[in-house]
Amino acid sequence: MANYYQPEIECASEEQRKAMQDERLASQVKHVYENVEYYRKLMDEKGVKPEDVQTTADLYKLPFISKADLREAYPYGLLATPIEECVEIHSTSGTTGKRVVAFYTKEDVDLWHECCARAIVAAGGTKEDICQIAYGYGLFTGGAGLDGGSHKLGCLTLPMSSGNTERQIQFMQDLKSTILCCTPSYAAYIGETLRDMGLTPDDISLKAGIFGAEPWTEEMRKDIEKNLGIKAYDIYGLTESSGPGVAFECSAQKGMHINEDHFIAEIINPETGEVLSDGEKGELVFTSLTKKAFPLLRYRTRDICVLNREKCSCGRTFVRMTKPMGRSDDMMIIRGVNVFPSQIETVLLEQGYPPHYRIEVDRVNNSDTLDVYVELSSNMFSDTVKDIAKKEKDLAGAIKTMLGISPKVHLVPAKTIERSEGKAVRVVDKRKLHD
Ligand code: ADP
Ligand code: ZN
């Protein structure tokens, strides 16, 4: 028997959903046009007025917005309400300098938490459950989102945050947590630690896990399910559209249902911007229908996936998205942190290294590794081994300051990194996260 948090919405008919989306879209476009100068200019440039967008069929008329716009408008340029009405901010992981900062009114937070509560219910959660939240708390959206969802539902919430793995397991045993929420790589690590402590899934009471914020494979899912004795559910989201809970998996586990009362999803050709039909693979674009403080219209996520409108056996009528199958930009998620190769390149050049480098990412024992191979410039060639070890350490420190995570730096002799005659292949990702 399927359970829903808000059945009248999650199982609405197509007509009901469309009517709700049309009405919300028209008023949201008006709200944004009147309150966000940055987006008003984009609309004016395209010659589109709020009254031109009355239904979802008019969506294509609106301009796209991207991460570059968010950086340019940082920090307040896309805020659509007075700052006094905001009660919370979150920010994307990883980048120093111009981060992306998202704002929330009290109502925005409420609706976001509702989306997360739907995900917990879809994973079999009820108010009887004990939710252990081992996503990071703080600027990252994972902890706050699932914590709020768990409260909404009335679960006993364990606000563990990530880290201190043996203590996580101790709490699981003592308080009999039934649902674990964290990144899939952390779930895998908890599974390993459980075994290392000489325990088995029978020693804990977990039944389900809600894992997201980074790509993970079906193999990893099976591994986690076996090691923790649970059923593992996927959850998707991004800071720009509140955080986790934009889409969530149901018991059918054939894609994640997008909360369409709050977000309209489109798939576009990332090269041309052309809107593609359901079933075609392309870049996911979200229009936020209900957020008041930070309402992004046609936001390009850069995540590549496919939408599926076929009826789902769980009874929910919300469209389903596949797991992201890749990205249309070069962003990697390493140990939960968003990393762009250009950030590493910036540090190399700042530190006086030549722009010849290779980045290797791998996953060893369920933990991501980051190796950066950099050529010494010719005037550094005569350095002693000791000098080189120090240089590697300094460079690793500078990269850590930029990214927030530590790489292993390998300085190699000049002219040993393969040159390219076309697009340089600077990144080798051995994790095979996308099928
Ligand atoms: P968060 O803080 O929620 O991780 P970010 O904005 O830092 O949000 O990162 C969002 C990106 O993380 C998404 O655009 C997507 O690439 C990735 N992501 C989030 N959830 C998943 C998931 N379940 N599977 C694969 N990738 C995901
Ligand atoms: Zn379903």
Side-chain angles (χ1 to χ4, degrees), residues 23 45 53 95 99 109 152 223 234 252 255 268-269 314 325 329 332 341 349 365 372 379 388 391 396 431:
E23 193 196 320
E45 275 164 26
V53 183
T95 42
R99 285 172 160 263
V109 171
K152 279 254 174 241
D223 198 51
D234 204 354
I268 63 162
N269 174 330
C314 77
M325 298 160 159
D329 62 9
M332 301 171 281
L349 296 175
N365 295 331
V372 183
N379 61 342
I388 288 183
K391 283 203 166 75
R431 295 175 295 178

Side-chain angles (χ1 to χ4, degrees), residues 249-255 257 312-316 320:
E249 235 176 18
C250 62
S251 53
Q253 298 201 316
K254 296 230 165 64
H257 289 284
C312 183
S313 59
C314 77
R316 285 179 187 78
R320 279 170 289 166

Side-chain angles (χ1 to χ4, degrees), residues 165-304:
T165 310
E166 295 198 359
R167 189 181 64 189
Q168 301 270 2
I169 292 171
Q170 186 74 56
F171 267 85
M172 265 175 210
Q173 286 191 287
D174 296 347
L175 292 164
K176 307 209 177 333
S177 320
T178 51
I179 299 179
L180 173 66
C181 304
C182 60
T183 61
S185 34
Y186 194 44
Y189 183 57
I190 294 177
E192 260 171 34
T193 309
L194 185 77
R195 200 178 48 220
D196 292 347
M197 288 167 75
L199 301 171
T200 72
D202 292 338
D203 295 309
I204 53 173
S205 308
L206 286 183
K207 62 176 188 189
I210 303 176
F211 308 130
E214 63 179 0
W216 52 312
T217 56
E218 284 304 321
E219 290 69 42
M220 191 156 168
R221 180 184 334 239
K222 287 196 198 95
D223 198 51
I224 296 171
E225 289 186 331
K226 185 166 91 343
N227 291 342
L228 289 173
I230 58 172
K231 184 156 167 148
Y233 294 82
D234 204 354
I235 186 167
Y236 168 91
L238 57 165
T239 310
E240 295 89 322
S241 51
S242 13
V246 171
F248 59 92
E249 235 176 18
C250 62
S251 53
Q253 298 201 316
K254 296 230 165 64
M256 293 179 268
H257 289 284
I258 295 174
N259 281 312
E260 288 188 284
D261 52 335
H262 298 301
F263 302 99
I264 301 178
E266 296 172 279
I267 294 285
I268 63 162
N269 174 330
E271 310 290 329
T272 63
E274 176 205 357
V275 179
L276 305 178
S277 330
D278 290 344
E280 287 188 275
K281 184 164 147 183
E283 181 181 335
L284 187 58
V285 172
F286 281 120
T287 293
S288 146
L289 291 171
T290 46
K291 278 181 353 134
K292 284 289 173 257
F294 203 67
L296 299 183
L297 305 180
R298 298 198 92 198
Y299 180 67
R300 294 187 57 164
T301 64
R302 298 289 174 183
D303 289 321
I304 302 291

Side-chain angles (χ1 to χ4, degrees), residues 137-157:
Y137 279 63
L139 282 175
F140 178 55
T141 54
L146 271 307
D147 183 293
S150 172
H151 272 96
K152 279 254 174 241
L153 191 55
C155 304
L156 175 62
T157 310

